[in-house]
Amino acid sequence: MIRHHRRLVSATATAAALTAGLLTFSTGDATAATARAYKADFNHDGYGDVALAAPYATVAGKGMAGYVAVVYGSASGLNPAKRTVVSQNTAGVPGAAEAEDSFGEALAVADLNGDGYTDLAVGAPGEDVGSDVDGGSVTVLWGSASGLKNGTSVKDPAPTKHDGWGGALAAGDFNGDGKADLASGTTASHAYVVKGGFTKSGTTGGTQKVTLPETAEYGVDAIAAGDTNGDKKADLVLTYRIALPSDESGSWSKGVAYLGASTGLVVSQPRPLNGGTSIALGDIDGDGYDEIALGNVFTREDDHTGTRGGQVNVIRGSQGGPINGDAPMAELTQASTGVPGTNNPNDGFGGSVTIGDINGDGYDELAIGVVFKDIGQAEDTGLVVLMNGSAHGVSRTGARTISQNTTGVPGAAESMDYFGSDALLSDVSKDGRADLTVTAGFEDEGVGTVTALRGSASGVTTTGARSFGPGTFGLPRTYGAFGTALTG
């Protein structure tokens, strides 16, 4: 759902902060939904799984301590009856649940120790580490035949140089050595890559510092990995914000890509990109190179923060990496040809983005969360726009919307649900088609809920749709933003 969550104390405060350009929406821990990306299969049964978090949930009386959950896939899609819930109070997990740790604010998946089971990296950017307030932590929860089990801490390479270690996570093999690496953002103007292999005793490979091209106001906003040039080495995409001139208020969102190489990321040659508050990578045009989708919910009408209602820029991949320039593959708003709906202020178009092949035709689709979209009398209820992929990129035909008002979708469109605050396209039923998982992060005043829809040859179907929240798991239905940071 939303990163920098300590500003999210009420729906009113959230909307106000969004308008001021202070919040980011996290899909930054997701990797591309293509054959080159890691697939979440924590129990190695062949079905994709989905991990999610409730980073603001109370655990053992500790407010905003947070927990994570895995819902396992099956032939009929996600099966909420088969799940694992983990907090820092779970046996075998390092640390302890403490107030404002926000365990689960960022997630990333990969087989980090090479044993055939997908592992889950979990960020807790509010964790106090000794006397380092909000220094942050990263924990790897290990996959096994029975699912996630036990955990190991990932050491912060420079704990005194930043806060918020684990505030944004992405996994990828950045040097092509066959071992998964883990990238973490911080609140400073740099990120780090911790190189594989990882072990349960806590050892890893070396580390690489990734310094942003400019001073970032709040550190790394969003982060994602994919292969934009088809060389089988993951590339890293980050967004951040810089301060505007002293006579202006607010900040300017910017993006950058670093290509992978045998020596690691080529940090000396940053590739400038459009800014954004959410990131996804995937092969929309089917040419073997990942595209980069950058969603930007900022709403001021100027060159700094995008268009009213939000914007999504899609950057084409190529043999030379991302092709940005003055004309992205697609520059989308709700006023664009083929995009359903109308372009209204503060809609939050681009609050989440995710890419995956829903219909199995070899072209990845693009799903866009419109987080604060009004539907009828319901304000800020939210919806998801689905746009088809094609040989020419994002297709301007056949787009559709999904909301809690869509026939067959569980629930109802209610004010301040924020349906689409996070979204994930991933195959959880082993049929070769990406299924759609959507978060309504503020459903029931911040409890949160998740909706699971199947992919099919004709696109997303509501047949067999499922919805679940903490109550489904036997957990308290209290404020927690259940469904934040979907990954799979």
Side-chain angles (χ1 to χ4, degrees), residues 3 30 33 36 60 140 149 190 269 293 297 317 331 342 349 355 373 379 381 411 415 439 446 455 463 466:
R3 291 210 323 106
R36 293 179 298 284
V140 175
K149 186 177 181 180
H190 58 257
Q269 298 177 24
V297 298
E331 187 175 281
T342 56
F349 182 81
I355 299 173
K373 189 72 172 179
E379 298 181 354
T381 184
S415 293
T439 297
T463 301
R466 293 170 173 166

Side-chain angles (χ1 to χ4, degrees), residues 85-97 103 122 139-142 149-153:
V85 178
V86 177
S87 75
Q88 287 181 292
N89 278 1
T90 301
V93 176
F103 184 73
V122 183
T139 302
V140 175
L141 303 177
W142 301 105
K149 186 177 181 180
N150 300 323
T152 302
S153 296

Side-chain angles (χ1 to χ4, degrees), residues 115 172 220 448 475:
D115 65 354
V220 175
L475 299 169

